Amino acid sequence: MNYFYKKLILPLFTVLLLCNSFTASAQITKDYDLWLQYQKSSVANDIFKNIALNTKDETNKAIQDELKTASERMFQYSPTFSNSGNATLIIKKFSELEPTQKNIINKANALNDEGFAIETIQNKGKKTVLITAKNSLGLLYGTFRLLRELQIDPSKKHFSIADEPKLKVRMLNHWDNLDGTVERGYAGSSIWNWQKLPDFIDKKYIDYARANASVGINGVALINVNSNALILTPQYLEKVSALAKAFRPYGIKVYLTARFSAPIEIGGLKTADPLNQEVQQWWNNKVNEIYKFIPDFGGFLVKANSEGQPGPQNYGRNHVDGANMMAKALQPHHGIVLWRAFVYSETDSSDRAKQAYSEFVPYDGKFEDNVLVQVKNGAIDFQPREPFHPMFGAMPKSKLMMEYQITQEYLGFSSHLVFLPKLYEEVLESDTYKQGKGSTVAKIIEGKPNELSGMAGVANIGSDLNWTGHPFAQANWYGFGRLAWNPELSSEKIAEEWLQQTFSKDSNFVKTISKIMLQSRESVVKYMTPLGLHHIMATNHHYGPGPWVNDLARPEWNPVYYHKADKNGIGFDRTATGSNALAQYSPEIAQYYGDLKTCPEEYLLWFHHLPWDYKMKNGKILWDNLGIKYQEGVNEVKNMITTWESAKPYIDAERHQEVAQLLTIQLKEAIWWKDACMTYFQTFSNLPFPKEMETPKHDLEYYKSLQFPFAPGIKPHW
Ligand code: GCW
């Protein structure tokens, strides 16, 4: 028995155990590796056999590490790195190229500082691939580009690519708190371990930097815009400098959120008035101190006089006074200020959608050169769909940057599959007409060549093994980076290349699954806020529907403020007969959205208050259309589930199951939104549900009674 046990059962058991942990860890790796899977290739490619690269510089060292990992995983061999003759891949700054390679030098010379060229050339009678750029960061971007091309087509040998970023600042904004929680975070806790920093550099920090650099992200604001002044004290600056050091080889600069009242809270001053000399001196000294810790510090991100955060208006000053004070302190070090335009006030009784424009546009041209005004994509707050923010194009003498939300605060947290590049693209493509036809939001934020420009995304990253909570939420991080590099890229291309790198290159798989990704954003709009509805979510945690909420302290916090449903109809009149928010847009846009004949149905209730029996283009009344849209959203999720089932043969079982389970949550919640909203709106319309709509399972009281005290994304109530 003993013999039998030792010889047979034990080894078998060990093998089983190993297999089990192997699958588990293989799975973790797949989820963890994001779009940098470097899957084993079925075709050979010698491209990495002998790489000419000067590995002295720390960025080049990062290039070397990446190529080694990629080559070993994809092609099963380790590259040799040397400077000798027979290179299969040459990675060199163009100042180091031989004069015979003039053609490429000319091509590369036309690129900006972060651009790169990849060319297949003749070198000593042999075909060789050359990556060249002005500096090492360009070489790193070129390397990641080459790796993307090879992940998509591992047999590729011929390259002729020149590329450069269109925006200067391409950054993630983490809303991470110093206590480890993440405001509006749905992927676990913060990845920054402040307790163990500066001495412990988690490998995760490096992998985070790799992922960012691979799509061209070059800046990170580490903590929440609802900031804590402690981050500016030496105790924390030492920790920040350790992170900055880890990110430096990957071209990523660190930014900090600057709490406006910091001079009082950590400086012992009596005021934070931006026109007070002592305050100005305090910021000058603070900035000098920061640069001693972090010589390439990026600058400050500031949320001021917004949702209770302190700011210049507390001292009777304005946004320009506040932003310029910080900008001047940063100028000697080439740092910048990202001053957020997300402001709305409880004392302003006008439409909330109008307030940021009214507060900022009069200051056009007054901001210092190193200030970027950071504007959310829409005038309310990261809703599933908003028309583009009227500030875009309205401040031609200032620099405006885009702020998107990658984390899904209003889009189903990390349980819903929603491909956000589709939303980003819709905004970027919108024509503002501010400088004539064709002045799209993309063109406006691109600004003038060589001037400061940028795009920020509120990160969806946390301590979850797969970084983002939902495997498909990784695509939103990826897609954000790709659009920050080139705001004119198509979301379709982004979906396809992400799928190819992350899951499978099989064309059937890519075709079917990219379709559901591209449609997913429209589906979430339909089952949450169809026909231009907005801001009807539950209070505080924003989880689930709450269109009935009407008792919050500030009028514009209540969903009823936005949908204005009553027995006569529904919607927010933003035309001349209402708040006239439309007047902030160019006349072409005002006319287009203002006229019911041309206003697209997607924006109907955003701009118009209409009777329940308003006849729509399909001949049906508004009430019926509302129910039909909600139902369509639900049906589309059902479709996603079936389509995902069909993807089973193409990908690993674990990630397949993970997504399948999440889709069931999405369906449940889509039905919940439909039922709760339609049951509530029915109390005003007094009409039967349209026949196309499945009848709600519960009555309104049930939906109103649901409580979620521990929903994620807000400070826990201990
Ligand atoms: O959308 C709202 C969020 C707040 C956030 C704020 C902002 C960081 O609900 O959690 O605060 O926007 O953008 O400042």
Side-chain angles (χ1 to χ4, degrees), residues 175 183-184 226 303 307 340 342 376 381 409-410:
W175 286 357
E183 182 154 348
R184 311 307 175 185
N226 292 331
K303 171 175 178 178
E307 301 185 325
R340 295 178 86 227
F342 176 65
K376 287 189 181 180
D381 195 1
E409 174 180 0
Y410 301 103

Side-chain angles (χ1 to χ4, degrees), residues 179-249:
D179 64 6
T181 58
V182 180
E183 182 154 348
R184 311 307 175 185
Y186 312 105
S189 48
S190 172
I191 55 169
W192 318 129
N193 193 330
W194 297 110
Q195 183 63 28
K196 288 185 178 156
L197 281 165
D199 301 309
F200 184 74
I201 298 299
D202 197 320
K203 181 176 176 291
K204 229 180 176 177
Y205 304 152
I206 311 295
D207 292 328
Y208 164 85
R210 289 173 51 225
N212 280 334
S214 76
V215 287
I217 290 171
N218 67 355
V220 201
L222 294 172
I223 71 158
N224 196 349
V225 287
N226 292 331
S227 190
N228 187 326
L230 270 185
I231 195 72
L232 302 175
T233 59
Q235 185 192 1
Y236 277 91
L237 288 175
E238 196 189 356
K239 297 169 191 285
V240 172
S241 96
L243 284 174
K245 186 168 176 235
F247 299 158
R248 195 163 291 125

Side-chain angles (χ1 to χ4, degrees), residues 526-538:
K526 288 179 185 168
Y527 65 71
M528 284 186 181
T529 52
L531 300 178
L533 285 174
H534 50 287
H535 206 289
I536 54 172
M537 67 288 166

